Amino acid sequence: MDFFVFMSEQWLLVSLLVVLLYAFALSERHKAGTPASVHEVTRLINSDGARVLDIRDKSEYSAGHIVDALNIPHGQVAERIAELAKVKDKPLIVVDKMGQHAGAVGRLLKREGFQVRRLQGGMVEWSNQNLPLVKG
């Protein structure tokens, strides 16, 4: 009950807190790379020569991945970042299963100077849109 009383009496402070939390969340989201829809990703691949970094485990990658995607599991990206140096001048699209690890990897890659984009919804969304997958 005291909580609601506080909120009604201090509505200005509560509103300011909500705005600041929203701004912080938005800022953190973009530090990990700009989110991209599946349609935007296909455009980036076809017209800008973007490369796809699939950070899922090898078994998930083998079950189906985007054509020409590089596979480095999310736990190994920091150690294997040198393998990505050859694609530093092109947009790098980070893909995982549903978006749960792409943010952390995106932040790491942005700090290293990569042009990072993250596939919204991950491979689940890619599959739901019936876009092509390569198995193996």
Side-chain angles (χ1 to χ4, degrees):
M1 186 69 163
D2 291 335
F3 176 73
F4 295 112
V5 171
F6 174 80
M7 286 186 59
S8 66
E9 291 176 355
Q10 302 297 328
W11 63 270
L12 187 59
L13 290 176
V14 172
S15 300
L16 182 61
L17 176 64
V18 169
V19 168
L20 289 174
L21 286 174
Y22 180 76
F24 175 73
L26 192 61
S27 170
E28 285 299 309
R29 182 176 182 206
H30 285 285
K31 283 183 184 176
T34 307
S37 69
V38 292
H39 302 294
E40 193 172 355
V41 167
T42 55
R43 184 192 59 77
L44 286 168
I45 293 170
N46 293 330
S47 65
D48 295 347
R51 293 300 310 260
V52 176
L53 173 63
D54 193 321
I55 59 172
R56 297 176 299 155
D57 294 331
K58 186 71 174 164
S59 60
E60 291 176 316
Y61 177 81
S62 297
H65 59 273
I66 298 172
V67 177
D68 295 331
L70 305 167
N71 179 236
I72 301 176
H74 72 275
Q76 299 174 9
V77 172
E79 301 95 48
R80 296 176 57 187
I81 203 160
E83 295 176 34
L84 301 171
K86 62 184 176 230
V87 296
K88 202 168 194 175
D89 61 331
K90 302 213 182 270
L92 185 62
I93 301 162
V94 179
V95 176
D96 62 359
K97 186 174 183 178
M98 293 180 359
Q100 68 273 30
H101 300 292
V105 171
R107 275 189 291 282
L108 170 70
L109 293 170
K110 276 194 81 120
R111 278 194 307 264
E112 295 294 324
F114 288 88
Q115 303 170 43
V116 180
R117 303 296 298 266
R118 293 179 293 119
L119 176 60
Q120 287 177 329
M123 289 303 294
V124 170
E125 182 62 23
W126 187 271
S127 296
N128 288 343
Q129 296 290 327
N130 293 318
L131 292 166
L133 292 173
V134 176
K135 299 196 187 268

